[in-house]
Structure formats: structure tokens, C-alpha cells
Amino acid sequence: MEKLVIHGGKPLEGTVRVSGAKNAVLPIIVASMLGTTQSTLTEIPKLADVHTVCDVIASLGVHIEHPERDTLVIDAHELTSTTAPYDLVRRMRASFLVMGPLLARKGRAQISLPGGCSIGARPIDLHLKAFEAMGAVINLENGDIEATAPNGLKGAQIYLDFPSVGATENILMAASMAEGKTVLENAAEEPEIVDLATYLNSMGANIRGAGTNVIRIEGVKELHGANHAVIPDRIEAGTFMVGAAMTQGNVFVENAISEHLKPLISKLKEVGAEVQEEIDGIRVIGHAPLRPADIKTLPYPGFPTDMQAQFMALTTICQGTSVVTETVFENRFMHVDEFKRMGAKIRIEGRSAIVEGVPRLKGASVNATDLRAGAALVLAGLVADGETEVGYLYHIDRGYDNLVLKLQRLGADIVRVNIEEEEN
């Protein structure tokens, strides 16, 4: 077991290059199952979740090679199984995305109910309703979902009750090889959806409207492999941007796409940070004092729920009162108690957290309660007096590629230590 040890007080300065997007690479790896020839994917981040999703599709007969650190070569010409094993699926919710490609290519899929971070209910009923509309028969038994499409998937008119990213991705993959046209309304509009559609189109799919709330898919009989570079991770970029503002640093976030980060850029300017949008990245310069700002998480293009915890960390040291409202996940304030251990003044009122800024946070032993909370606690540690220890690092490893090394190169006093070795 490992933990991070952070000594706060040093501004982040320098250049950091963000890796490929976690939330784009996972569905793109899964989408490779649809191709009958080899695909080559680049800008692949080194993440625990990437390893897990590769294990899941490998268990279905997909051949995967890793010739370079950021490259995957995937050959799915022969799928040998339609059952995703429980011990892999339980690790990560995104594993459920294999249902769309399996139904499209094999007409059958059996998958355990998925796992992932405990940040609230993320029901899969939107996925299942869509598959049923496309002609699939769904059975739930002993914690497993079995879906069959005895007559093949058919194009359908589908309206999502909520613009779910996962459901949109699963439907795009399934509909790409369904017979006829699928019209998906109230679709998620995230950049990661656009990246998936771009990849599927390069494989021979016919998808129009990705990035809007209405996507039209004309099914094709077969898809082939393709070469694709994954988009940069806007959440990783945002985390470094907030870190620069919090530490009164000066950081150029290379590879960040400002168009994907408009709400965060606006809020960073509101608290008093300087944000310079450049062709090949974004520079953030922190200034004191930091002013308070309110945020409300919403589906894209609103303020991302995946940046809520990190921005809350920033508000804990702003001069005044900020309100953080979470509308996407109902259980995403578990980090509040950890912030309080560091001296933050926060109270919860329904789906809002009222944060009264303090002059300084204090180092403490805290635990990552989920992926983004882990990153937020690291940011808090960077500005806290004394020593901060962050445990449960497996959450952070799920979504950040080389976070410690990147922070060290920016001047942070942060190390990763083995708890057992320390005790001996």
C-alpha cells in the first residue's frame, strides 16, 4: 500500500503536458472491438482504468499489443466470447460499454452489473432501454445482464431522459452496425463523444451530429480498424490549471484545448487568476488574493462534475464565501470531510456546499474518496502548512498518468512512499 507525502508552500512553475483523455480512451479502446482489421491508437495514458479495460476486451478474444508507452495495437477480427467476467467488470463502470459492440457484432452479451467510484447512482437503465428499442431482449438474473438480438439490431428513434455520456457512447457503437437509421435525441455533447464518433467514422461508420444533442447514425454492415490519436484530457488539464491558481504559480499546460475548458477558464478568471489561451496550450498565473466564486455542475458545456472537487479545494482558500452546487451525482461531496481535516470551513446544505475561505489550510492525513477527490486533496496539500499525507492512491491511479512526476517537475514537494516500507 502506498501514500503521497506533500509539503506545501511551493508555487507550481513550468510546463506540463497533459496526456490523452481517460474519458475518451476507454470507449475508444472498446470501440476497437467493432473492427475486423487492426487498429492503432496513440496518446494512450498509462492508467489503471486503461489496463482494466484492456483486460476486459482481451478476455473476449481481442489481441492487444503495447509497442510503445503511449500506443496500443488492437486486433479484434475474432471475438471468442460474449461474456465479460465479473472480476474485471466490477473494477470499472466503463466495462459496461462492451455491451454495445458485442450486440452489434455477435448478437449477444452477458455482463455483470458494473463497479467504479462510489460517487452516486449511475443507472444503466438508459443503456438497456435504448438496446431494447433497437430490438434487443434483456434479462437480468443473479447480478448478470444478458442481452440478445436474435434478429440483429435495428435503427430506432431514441430519447435519453438524461444526457448520459456512457449511454450515448454505448448507443453510438451499437447503432454503427445496426440495420437502418438511429436518431439519438438529448445526447451527451462532451468532447469525448466527438472523439469517439471521429474514431468510429474513420472505421467506416456513418455518424453525424456528434457534439450536439441530436446524433444521427446510419448503420453499416461492417467496420474496419483505423489509426487514431486520443484527444488531450481536459480534466487533467483543469487540475493543473487550478493548481497553478491555488499556489500562485505560473504553469503552461501544453496540449490543453481551451474550447473544452470554457467554464473553468471563466471561473479561474473570476477568482483572480490570469489565463492566457495559446495555440498549443493554456497558461495560468495565480495572483493573491483569490476571490470567491460559485459553481454549479452541469452536463457539457456546463461546469464539469469531474472538476467540482478540485475547484472546491481552491475555494477553501478564497477570501469570502463560495457556493459549490452538484447536480450531476448525488454523492459527490465525500471529500468535504477530508478538507475539514485540513482546516477548511464547509457546510453541506442539500446539493450545495457553502465554503468559507480560510487564510491557510493545515497538513493532515487524508484519504482519496474517489478519483477526482484524490486529485483535489493533492492540490490542497500543495498549499497547506506542514505535511499532508494522501492515502487510497488507487483512486488517483485510475485517472492521472504520472501525476507525482509531473507535479515534481513543476516544483512541488511531493513523493510517493510505500507504507509497509516506512513502518519497517
Side-chain angles (χ1 to χ4, degrees):
M1 204 171 163
E2 294 179 300
K3 66 181 177 182
L4 298 180
V5 178
I6 308 165
H7 293 94
K10 294 191 174 182
L12 299 182
E13 294 182 335
T15 297
V16 62
R17 187 180 191 277
V18 295
S19 303
K22 166 190 179 286
N23 291 336
V25 71
L26 301 181
I28 283 170
I29 289 172
V30 171
S32 300
M33 294 169 57
L34 292 166
T36 55
T37 58
Q38 183 175 282
S39 289
T40 300
L41 307 178
T42 56
E43 298 293 336
I44 304 297
K46 187 178 181 182
L47 305 174
D49 275 9
V50 169
H51 184 73
T52 298
V53 80
C54 286
D55 285 347
V56 172
I57 67 169
S59 74
L60 302 172
V62 179
H63 181 71
I64 305 170
E65 293 180 3
H66 210 326
E68 297 175 36
R69 186 186 188 277
D70 70 342
T71 303
L72 287 176
V73 178
I74 301 175
D75 187 345
H77 77 277
E78 185 180 2
L79 295 177
T80 57
S81 174
T82 57
T83 301
Y86 169 73
D87 65 315
L88 295 175
V89 173
R90 68 181 177 82
R91 292 189 217 160
M92 188 182 63
R93 182 161 296 267
S95 305
F96 196 71
L97 292 176
V98 301
M99 181 166 277
L102 285 175
L103 279 173
R105 275 196 66 185
K106 306 296 281 186
R108 180 187 181 275
Q110 183 171 336
I111 303 172
S112 301
L113 290 171
C117 281
S118 301
I119 56 175
R122 293 188 278 182
I124 55 172
D125 62 316
L126 296 177
H127 304 237
L128 301 181
K129 285 180 185 176
F131 293 145
E132 285 181 322
M134 297 168 74
V137 178
I138 309 292
N139 287 306
L140 177 58
E141 195 171 322
N142 300 324
D144 283 351
I145 298 167
E146 184 181 27
T148 55
N151 300 312
L153 294 177
K154 313 292 183 186
Q157 189 92 15
I158 299 168
Y159 178 87
L160 293 178
D161 295 332
F162 176 83
S164 161
V165 173
T168 300
E169 291 166 344
N170 228 341
I171 294 163
L172 281 186
M173 291 186 283
S176 292
M177 291 179 61
E179 182 184 330
K181 180 185 285 187
T182 297
V183 178
L184 177 58
E185 298 180 277
N186 200 29
E189 301 175 36
E190 274 76 357
E192 294 80 10
I193 298 293
V194 178
D195 205 31
L196 173 62
T198 299
Y199 178 51
L200 287 169
N201 282 340
S202 70
M203 297 174 74
N206 185 357
I207 301 170
R208 291 173 293 136
T212 74
N213 64 358
V214 180
I215 303 176
R216 292 173 171 83
I217 309 108
E218 191 76 49
V220 298
K221 288 189 176 180
E222 187 174 276
L223 296 177
H224 52 75
N227 298 336
H228 183 77
V230 177
I231 59 170
D233 195 314
R234 62 193 170 102
I235 305 303
E236 183 191 0
T239 300
F240 286 115
M241 291 164 66
V242 170
M246 287 179 69
T247 64
Q248 296 176 41
N250 182 337
V251 176
F252 180 67
V253 186
E254 185 183 349
N255 211 27
I257 300 174
S258 58
E259 194 62 37
H260 296 172
L261 289 155
K262 291 297 183 188
L264 177 62
I265 289 171
S266 175
K267 288 299 175 180
L268 286 175
K269 289 179 178 177
E270 190 176 327
V271 302
E274 184 179 343
V275 183
Q276 301 170 2
E277 301 175 40
E278 301 180 22
I279 293 173
D280 55 346
I282 303 170
R283 182 176 299 280
V284 177
I285 303 171
H287 297 292
L290 290 170
R291 300 186 293 268
D294 300 341
I295 62 166
K296 181 179 183 179
T297 65
L298 291 165
Y300 190 87
F303 193 95
T305 181
D306 279 353
M307 281 302 305
Q308 178 256 103
Q310 299 93 307
F311 198 86
M312 186 186 291
L314 183 152
T315 64
T316 64
I317 56 169
C318 289
Q319 289 189 355
T321 301
S322 303
V323 179
V324 176
T325 302
E326 175 61 57
T327 72
V328 180
F329 294 124
E330 78 281 0
N331 197 25
R332 208 164 196 176
F333 282 151
M334 293 188 294
H335 45 275
V336 167
D337 286 340
E338 303 301 301
F339 283 150
K340 286 181 177 180
R341 290 171 61 83
M342 301 180 72
K345 291 185 178 179
I346 308 171
R347 70 179 188 276
I348 304 295
E349 292 185 3
R351 300 198 78 156
S352 294
I354 292 81
V355 186
E356 295 179 35
V358 296
R360 299 285 292 181
L361 295 175
K362 295 170 185 154
S365 292
V366 293
N367 287 319
T369 53
D370 62 67
L371 166 53
R372 305 306 173 184
L377 291 168
V378 170
L379 295 181
L382 295 177
V383 297
D385 286 334
E387 183 176 278
T388 298
E389 296 181 352
V390 181
Y392 293 2
L393 300 190
Y394 60 88
H395 284 303
I396 297 173
D397 292 340
R398 288 186 51 234
Y400 288 90
D401 183 356
N402 253 332
L403 179 64
V404 172
L405 180 61
K406 289 178 179 179
L407 287 172
Q408 287 172 341
R409 288 175 175 170
L410 294 174
D413 186 344
I414 179 172
V415 293
R416 187 169 181 142
V417 300
N418 189 300
I419 296 174
E420 284 82 359
E421 287 180 3
E422 191 180 62
E423 289 173 349
N424 289 335

